[in-house]
Amino acid sequence: MKKNNLLVAFCSLIASAPVAASLGAQATPRIQFEKYTLPNGLEVILHEDHSTPIATVDTWYHVGSGDEQVGRTGFAHLFEHIMFMGSQNVPVGAFDQMLEAAGADNNGSTTEDRTNYYENLPSNALALALWLDADRMGFLLPTMDLAKLNLQRDVVKNERRQRVDNQPYGRADETILAALYPKTHPYSWPVIGSMADLSAASLDDVKNFFRTYYAPNNATVVIAGDFDPAAVKKLVAQYFGAIPRGPTVKRRTTVPAVVIPRDRFIVLEDKVQLPRLFYTWPTVKAFAPDDAALDILALVLANDKNSRLYKKLVYDLQIAQNARAFQESGKLDGKFQVDIIPMPGQKVADIDQVVRTEIATIIQKGVSTRELQRAQNSYKASFLNRLASVLGKADQLNFYNYFVGTPDYVQQDAARYERVTAADVQRVAQKYLGKPKIVLTVVPEGKRDMMLTAAGGAR
């Protein structure tokens, strides 16, 4: 899962509370679990939680857009949709109908690194969720035809139109990825893929993708909530046990370091009213030694209303309407981004001057103890919130299992952030934000003269 510190709303309240009310001393709860593997390679993780009569089935297939090839992008996300189209024993439309009749909610998501499907439902309907997931894992291909592919291909294309092509600033991310990474880098294209690649996908292409990646030996099923372990193990063996293994998946474990020789200034024209600035630096993958410190740096720099850039640009100078920063870490690589939307009539050069000054100040003088503790409190609040639901715990178990090799990592993960010092934050600011970057200005159509340039001003 690509980690992204989009903190929940109440974190701002925690962050602005007195430092004495630190969450650092609050113990991180351990998530009890049992893990075993079926003979066909399917990993199964069980977590009991009898506090409410709710159960979750959270399935991760270890495939994302980073496993695709140049010219064949968008397959992982396309399959996220196809998997809801019915299988050998589940007619088209029945998947959602059965779950809704049982009082369940379900969905899926795709990142660069994995594809996830979940069902959250009353515990007395757990067997239904397991059967449905097993049927689409083992028996989707017999019903896969060109009509289904074309239907979901059109759905995904429409999603791209809504979220990317016709969304204000929607093409910024793919523009940045293409500029930041070499063309062969697995993160250089967007998860949703390109229109050309989606159009070119043949039925055989899609079937081969399924045979390669949607096999039990490339998946982990987490079952969490109110259930009897002995009964669930029997159901898992009954429904999933006969599904044959797929081929051994060979995937990249490392990528070459991304080096930007000098600041690169690019521009994108869009149907927008205001320009928007994006600064992006190559950094590190999830759980790398500097990952946690970069998360904390992002919180200090531009996340809540007390962060440096937000306070300076939005409140003090009132020249921007929003400012945010985040460290986004994947299984193979990561990036740090600062994103600013000016107020109407303001120049991007004035915004840029403030951004450069605040980053330089952190590099030269570091951050205060109060800033550090506030950022750690915000992250801890968000972290604990992710563990508050059965679904949240199920997904964290899957996340840790895939990214660090064991589901038992919640306390070690929390400790990474508690160990971050002010010196660490200053050091990573110098190491990463002190180096060349990609600077994208999204400008209104025909207004390329509004872009930020190397000279520091609008051209």
Side-chain angles (χ1 to χ4, degrees):
M1 179 171 63
K2 180 167 264 194
K3 176 182 61 59
N4 192 334
N5 294 320
L6 301 178
L7 302 179
V8 293
F10 73 85
C11 291
S12 296
L13 299 177
I14 296 292
S16 60
V19 173
S22 173
L23 293 175
Q26 182 172 342
T28 301
R30 192 182 190 91
I31 307 177
Q32 299 295 333
F33 70 93
E34 178 185 355
K35 177 181 174 181
Y36 66 99
T37 304
L38 296 184
N40 61 8
L42 178 68
E43 290 184 323
V44 183
I45 300 170
L46 306 180
H47 165 67
E48 289 185 72
D49 180 350
H50 299 286
S51 59
T52 56
I54 297 294
T56 292
V57 179
D58 185 64
T59 303
W60 275 36
Y61 289 92
H62 303 157
V63 56
S65 62
D67 295 290
E68 299 161 353
Q69 302 298 320
V70 175
R72 286 292 182 268
T73 64
F75 279 33
H77 179 252
L78 177 61
F79 247 106
E80 178 201 321
H81 288 256
I82 291 173
M83 290 284 276
F84 291 94
M85 284 292 291
S87 45
Q88 185 167 298
N89 300 296
V90 182
V92 174
F95 188 93
D96 287 331
Q97 291 169 1
M98 291 180 184
L99 288 170
E100 289 169 5
D105 67 271
N106 75 100
N107 212 331
S109 63
T110 310
T111 72
E112 289 82 352
D113 303 308
R114 61 92 182 123
T115 306
N116 151 264
Y117 304 91
Y118 73 84
E119 297 87 31
N120 204 40
L121 70 175
S123 53
N124 61 5
L126 177 57
L128 171 65
L130 293 172
W131 176 73
L132 288 169
D133 276 342
D135 202 66
R136 62 180 173 178
M137 177 186 288
F139 306 100
L140 182 137
L141 278 186
T143 65
M144 184 66 190
D145 56 27
L146 188 58
K148 284 186 177 181
L149 170 59
N150 286 339
L151 176 62
Q152 292 306 316
R153 190 203 317 262
D154 288 343
V155 169
V156 173
K157 284 183 174 181
N158 192 50
E159 181 179 341
R160 182 186 161 90
R161 293 184 188 100
Q162 290 180 326
R163 297 185 178 184
V164 179
D165 298 329
N166 297 320
Q167 176 80 18
Y169 312 105
R171 290 181 293 126
D173 188 55
E174 65 182 19
T175 303
I176 292 166
L177 295 177
L180 180 66
Y181 297 120
K183 188 175 181 180
T184 56
H185 192 288
Y187 292 172
S188 65
W189 52 83
V191 173
I192 201 167
S194 72
M195 284 292 197
D197 289 354
L198 289 168
S199 297
S202 70
L203 183 59
D204 284 342
D205 287 337
V206 174
K207 284 186 173 182
N208 288 333
F209 192 83
F210 181 87
R211 291 188 185 101
T212 301
Y213 295 108
Y214 286 80
N217 51 300
N218 196 48
T220 303
V221 176
V222 175
I223 304 163
D226 182 34
F227 62 86
D228 174 65
V232 162
K233 287 180 180 180
K234 290 180 180 178
L235 290 172
V236 169
Q238 177 184 350
Y239 296 147
F240 292 92
I243 301 173
R245 296 177 67 96
T248 300
V249 175
K250 296 180 180 180
R251 59 168 43 86
R252 289 179 254 206
T253 57
T254 61
V255 291
V258 175
V259 178
I260 302 174
R262 64 189 64 84
D263 282 352
R264 183 180 175 190
F265 294 82
I266 57 179
V267 62
L268 173 66
E269 293 185 41
D270 199 358
K271 293 181 174 65
V272 296
Q273 298 298 313
L274 297 172
R276 187 169 179 176
L277 277 172
F278 296 85
Y279 302 80
T280 308
W281 294 261
T283 54
V284 297
K285 65 182 181 179
F287 298 100
D290 289 339
D291 182 39
L294 284 162
D295 280 331
I296 297 300
L297 171 61
L299 287 162
V300 170
L301 190 59
N303 205 294
D304 61 42
K305 294 179 180 180
N306 293 292
S307 60
R308 291 197 179 196
L309 283 177
Y310 197 101
K311 185 174 184 300
K312 187 75 171 181
L313 291 167
V314 179
Y315 283 120
D316 296 345
L317 299 176
Q318 298 183 17
I319 59 174
Q321 55 182 300
N322 193 29
R324 65 170 186 157
F326 57 87
Q327 160 69 10
E328 191 169 63
S329 312
K331 205 170 191 300
L332 296 174
D333 217 333
K335 66 180 187 292
F336 190 101
Q337 191 168 102
V338 174
D339 169 10
I340 313 288
I341 303 178
M343 291 289 286
Q346 299 298 323
K347 296 180 179 179
V348 293
D350 295 336
I351 300 288
D352 179 65
Q353 185 60 52
V354 175
V355 172
R356 290 175 181 272
T357 298
E358 291 301 324
I359 290 175
T361 300
I362 291 178
I363 289 173
Q364 294 164 10
K365 299 181 180 180
V367 299
S368 69
T369 300
R370 182 179 179 84
E371 284 179 306
L372 173 65
Q373 290 183 342
R374 194 183 73 238
Q376 288 173 317
N377 285 350
S378 290
Y379 191 86
K380 188 66 174 285
S382 174
F383 184 81
L384 293 174
N385 186 63
R386 292 199 297 271
L387 304 179
S389 68
V390 172
L391 175 58
K393 287 185 286 186
D395 210 52
Q396 285 299 121
L397 288 168
N398 242 329
F399 174 51
Y400 295 135
N401 185 67
Y402 188 39
F403 274 66
V404 297
T406 175
D408 189 17
Y409 208 76
V410 62
Q411 292 181 316
Q412 296 96 314
D413 193 13
R416 294 192 302 144
Y417 294 87
E418 293 168 1
R419 289 194 299 264
V420 172
T421 65
D424 290 330
V425 177
Q426 184 177 10
R427 176 181 55 80
V428 297
Q430 169 64 51
K431 184 176 180 179
Y432 300 100
L433 274 60
K435 292 184 177 180
K437 58 193 173 293
I438 302 296
V439 183
L440 168 67
T441 314
V442 181
V443 300
E445 289 181 323
K447 300 289 186 179
R448 296 176 73 89
D449 60 324
M450 298 177 72
M451 75 172 286
L452 189 68
T453 66
R459 191 172 60 191

